[in-house]
Amino acid sequence: MYNSTSFFLEFMAVRIIIGAQWGDEGKGKIVDLLSAETKYVVRYQGGANAGHTLKFDDKTIVLHLIPSGMFNGNAKCVIGNGVVIDPIALIEEIEEVKKLDVDLKDRLYISSSAHVILPYHKVLDQLKEKSRGKDAIGTTGRGIGPAYVSKVSRIGIRMIDLLNEEQLEEKIKSNLADINKALEHIYGEEKLDTKTIMASLREAISITKPFIHNTTEILHNALENSEPILLEGAQGSLLDVDHGTYPYVTSSSPTAGGACTGSGIPPLSITHALGITKAYCTRVGNGPFPTELDDEEGEKLRKNGQEFGATTGRPRRCGWLDLVALKYAVRLNGMNELALTKLDVLDDFETIKVCTHYIKDGNETHVFPLDADDVDELKPVYKTFPGWNRSTRDISSFSDLPEKAQEYIHFIEDFIGVKFTIVSTGPKRNETIRR
Ligand code: GDP
Ligand code: IMO
Ligand code: MG
């Protein structure tokens, strides 16, 4: 029956899409799918460390900075103030999108307050990683950490600064004074030169200029007009700088609070928090991972799921679904909907496991620890499910899923207390079940 209240709510939905694990949950696919139903898609944090894959028709597109709402409908795509933007990476992506016959005019809006990743941020990111040796975080090397350091130290360059080249040159020169000291004396590297950096930015400045706006104002007007908004998180809850497995995290807040600070949208405007989780777990880079499998089953997850990084090509570490971690992510973000992705990857497993709790120092624990060292000491305890040994690709209705797959999904829902409104059974846009 038509329900006018739910229609109204849906119409003015402000929905955050958040990774519930360590990133690469399939956020790009889900944002692309839902973007036909919204007016705005807003990236709110992270930078070109993200790699969001979209598959439709015969196309595969990997986006790093441009929101995943360009290809399904006509939503305006906003790169919010909380994102750190590498202008050179951005113009490469703009070119890629243009090649796919998408006109970016009136579609792409870049916040004037978003911070800029400069060549020195990338150099510092890579040098710092090298100097950490075996304790390296395994960053993507895209300059993310150092760019957020500049932002918080109040020496950052923002997109608005690209509009005044004279001032921009002055600011870069002033920043380089300190950075060159570090390069020379700490790392024994060559100094960087302001003129060379300016020259490397000129093309990017001229291409990005028309897209730079006060996006906070644009989004406030959208809220006032009750237009639906989708906020696209990058990375995942367990990589959050505050709530993740610190220090093996990224330098931003992928969790729900970050969506507000990274866009200017107030918390009380958020109507939905949709968490995305794979039917198992992956992690790329270093850091604790309680359910990681170092065996044939882990290898099979990697092979079936094509688990290689969309940004760096690194093989992703694989393991069983961790319900303690998932429940933590749900509570952290107030997730009131979930999407389950990559169910098909489990199609040919004889048995499937999920971690329901851990053993630590001989005791049962149901709490996800906040310290990386503590996570390392956990021994996961599993519940085992029989596999369904049937392809789930092309299934478009939940009731057509094999019974054992339905049981697996129902168990997770009951455990977590939140329903899967979306189940994804393949990488393509149409390989999706909506409930
Ligand atoms: P994101 O960073 O969260 O957007 O995820 P990535 O794009 O980095 O990684 C997800 C990968 O899984 C991509 O290669 C997607 O094409 C793929 N993918 C997404 N959903 C599914 C699914 O349901 N089944 C399969 N087999 N692949 C999927
Ligand atoms: P999407 O949006 C998976 C990981 C890196 C590293 C840590 C810190 O595609 O899900 P950084 O370069 O951010 O300083 O690296 O975070 N990482 C990701 N892992 N998906 C991502 O993004 C990631 N972005 C960063 O591998 O462990
Ligand atoms: Mg990714």
Side-chain angles (χ1 to χ4, degrees):
M1 200 181 78
Y2 173 69
N3 176 332
S4 61
T5 316
S6 67
F7 174 77
F8 182 63
L9 267 180
E10 195 55 37
F11 181 66
M12 57 177 287
V14 180
R15 180 179 267 112
I16 319 178
I17 310 273
I18 312 161
Q21 300 171 313
W22 283 282
D24 302 327
E25 299 89 349
K27 299 174 293 294
K29 167 178 170 164
I30 303 299
V31 172
D32 168 67
L33 175 79
L34 298 180
S35 59
E37 301 162 22
T38 193
K39 293 275 189 197
Y40 291 85
V41 178
V42 187
R43 264 288 300 275
Y44 57 85
Q45 44 69 237
N49 49 349
H52 294 183
T53 314
L54 284 53
K55 284 194 185 208
F56 52 90
D57 306 333
D58 56 351
K59 296 188 183 70
T60 298
I61 298 152
V62 181
L63 295 170
H64 305 282
L65 283 163
I66 294 181
S68 304
M70 276 291 170
F71 302 97
N72 194 11
N74 289 304
K76 294 183 191 305
C77 290
V78 176
I79 304 182
N81 57 278
V83 176
V84 282
I85 301 175
D86 175 348
I88 294 158
L90 178 60
I91 59 167
E92 279 170 15
E93 213 167 303
I94 287 175
E95 284 314 310
E96 289 299 311
V97 171
K98 278 187 186 160
K99 273 191 219 150
L100 294 159
D101 278 341
V102 176
D103 184 2
L104 291 173
K105 193 173 167 307
D106 301 326
R107 294 289 311 282
L108 179 64
Y109 295 79
I110 303 170
S111 169
S112 53
S113 306
H115 280 249
V116 177
I117 297 192
L118 289 156
Y120 50 80
H121 293 125
K122 287 199 261 187
V123 170
L124 288 173
D125 188 5
Q126 289 159 19
L127 288 172
K128 183 72 198 160
E129 276 289 274
K130 220 164 126 194
S131 76
R132 283 191 181 105
K134 68 171 185 25
D135 295 324
I137 288 164
T139 73
T140 58
R142 299 295 192 267
I144 307 299
Y148 280 113
V149 168
S150 290
K151 172 176 174 170
V152 177
S153 311
R154 293 162 295 183
I155 57 161
I157 309 269
R158 302 194 296 169
M159 289 305 285
I160 197 167
D161 295 319
L162 301 188
L163 304 179
N164 183 335
E165 286 191 32
E166 223 170 280
Q167 267 186 33
L168 174 67
E169 187 163 345
E170 276 310 304
K171 288 186 181 183
I172 292 178
K173 197 171 160 196
S174 152
N175 284 348
L176 274 186
D178 277 355
I179 285 159
N180 276 335
K181 277 186 212 148
L183 288 179
E184 231 186 337
H185 302 300
I186 301 178
Y187 297 110
E189 291 286 324
E190 301 247 319
K191 290 198 278 189
L192 296 174
D193 163 63
T194 308
K195 296 270 180 230
T196 313
I197 294 181
M198 283 302 293
S200 76
L201 286 175
R202 285 224 163 81
E203 190 192 5
I205 291 175
S206 81
I207 294 176
T208 51
K209 232 178 206 172
F211 299 112
I212 301 173
H213 296 276
N214 177 345
T215 56
T216 311
E217 167 78 2
I218 292 171
L219 293 173
H220 287 170
N221 290 337
L223 287 175
E224 211 161 279
N225 296 327
S226 301
E227 291 179 301
I229 297 172
L230 212 63
L231 291 144
E232 176 179 4
Q235 290 77 57
S237 301
L238 303 177
L239 287 172
D240 186 281
V241 67
D242 283 276
H243 302 289
T245 44
Y246 193 89
Y248 299 96
V249 292
T250 192
S251 299
S252 67
S253 305
T255 46
C260 296
T261 52
S263 67
I265 292 180
L268 292 184
S269 299
I270 309 291
T271 58
H272 299 64
L274 170 59
I276 319 277
T277 174
K278 287 181 192 180
Y280 51 97
C281 277
T282 64
R283 173 164 203 167
V284 59
N286 300 331
F289 180 178
T291 61
E292 180 169 15
L293 293 168
D294 252 335
D295 57 11
E296 272 172 27
E297 280 181 318
E299 194 52 52
K300 186 166 167 179
L301 285 171
R302 188 172 308 111
K303 187 166 159 278
N304 284 7
Q306 286 296 299
E307 295 295 355
F308 297 90
T311 296
T312 57
R314 291 178 290 178
R316 295 177 183 142
R317 299 155 63 192
C318 296
W320 297 120
L321 185 61
D322 182 339
L323 293 183
V324 183
L326 182 59
K327 195 160 188 167
Y328 171 60
V330 164
R331 295 171 87 177
L332 203 50
N333 293 286
M335 287 164 179
N336 53 5
E337 307 169 306
L338 286 171
L340 185 71
T341 59
K342 307 193 92 158
L343 182 71
D344 55 297
V345 172
L346 303 180
D347 283 351
D348 63 349
F349 277 81
E350 284 306 317
T351 54
I352 294 157
K353 289 181 184 169
V354 292
C355 165
T356 54
H357 57 282
Y358 313 118
I359 301 291
K360 182 170 187 281
D361 300 331
N363 298 315
E364 214 177 86
T365 174
H366 297 259
V367 181
F368 193 79
L370 298 182
D371 192 78
D373 290 341
D374 286 344
V375 184
D376 267 340
E377 289 164 17
L378 300 173
K379 190 178 169 302
V381 180
Y382 293 106
K383 178 172 168 63
T384 303
F385 291 82
W388 41 91
N389 288 303
R390 233 184 79 192
S391 171
T392 56
R393 297 284 287 260
D394 298 329
I395 293 179
S396 57
S397 144
F398 190 81
S399 55
D400 292 339
L401 281 175
E403 226 163 80
K404 288 189 173 107
Q406 292 190 36
E407 279 165 24
Y408 178 70
I409 293 170
H410 284 312
F411 178 82
I412 303 168
E413 290 182 323
D414 290 345
F415 191 98
I416 301 292
V418 181
K419 206 173 154 161
F420 287 109
T421 53
I422 295 172
V423 178
S424 171
T425 58
K428 289 190 179 166
R429 188 190 286 158
N430 59 359
E431 291 175 310
T432 315
I433 297 167
R434 303 282 296 266
R435 288 163 89 206

